[in-house]
């Protein structure tokens, strides 16, 4: 996809990230990029010209585990392989950063997408802390 440029750790403003998240997740209420990236091993952004059209965050426990968070592609750019490109780059970046394991949580309807990107289902536990 020659019109999409991926970047590791590229500068992203609150306005750019929140615009992308709001387009993809109508109930989004705002994110502080500096707070999010302070806990990140890395992040990958996808750009079409000067527009942020995709994003994934790779958080870390500071050891061998990395975590995929906030995989997002702008609705006008979905179904073009951008999400897969983001996750391939995130996987490489996590490996380059010393992670041995890359985790992702996702809803059932995204199973085919994440399996297609190489993830396999595992058992996990979850406690809801907010209603």
């Amino acid at each position: 996809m020659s019109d999409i440029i991926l970047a590791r750790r590229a500068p992203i403003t609150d306005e750019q990230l929140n615009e992308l998240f709001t387009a993809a997740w109508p109930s989004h209420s705002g994110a502080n990029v500096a707070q999010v990236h302070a806990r990140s091993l890395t992040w990958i952004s996808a750009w079409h010209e000067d527009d942020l059209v995709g994003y994934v965050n790779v958080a870390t426990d500071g050891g061998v585990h990395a975590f995929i968070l906030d995989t997002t592609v702008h609705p006008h750019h979905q179904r073009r392989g951008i999400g897969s490109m983001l996750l391939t780059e995130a996987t490489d970046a996590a490996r380059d950063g010393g992670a041995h394991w890359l985790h992702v949580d996702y809803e059932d309807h995204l199973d085919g997408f994440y399996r297609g990107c190489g993830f396999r289902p595992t058992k996990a536990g979850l406690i809801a802390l907010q209603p």
Side-chain angles (χ1 to χ4, degrees), residues 7 24 28 34-37 39 46 49 52 55 59 61 64 68 70 81 99 104 106-107 124-126:
H28 174 71
Q35 268 184 340
V36 171
H37 290 170
R39 296 170 179 85
E49 299 174 359
L52 179 65
Y55 173 86
D61 67 352
V64 297
I68 293 292
D70 300 331
V104 67
Y106 57 85
E107 296 174 357
L126 179 67

Side-chain angles (χ1 to χ4, degrees), residues 41-44 55-60 65-72 83 86-94 101-106 113-114 117 119:
L41 176 64
T42 194
W43 57 91
I44 312 301
Y55 173 86
V56 65
N57 185 20
V58 183
T60 182
H65 295 270
F67 306 86
I68 293 292
L69 299 169
D70 300 331
T71 306
T72 308
L86 285 166
L87 286 176
T88 297
E89 187 70 17
T91 300
D92 291 345
W101 298 98
L102 185 58
H103 305 259
V104 67
D105 294 324
Y106 57 85
F113 169 72
Y114 282 103
C117 292
F119 289 89

Side-chain angles (χ1 to χ4, degrees), residues 67-84:
F67 306 86
I68 293 292
L69 299 169
D70 300 331
T71 306
T72 308
V73 175
H74 193 286
H76 293 141
H77 293 272
Q78 291 177 356
R79 309 263 184 243
R80 296 176 51 200
I82 296 170
S84 297

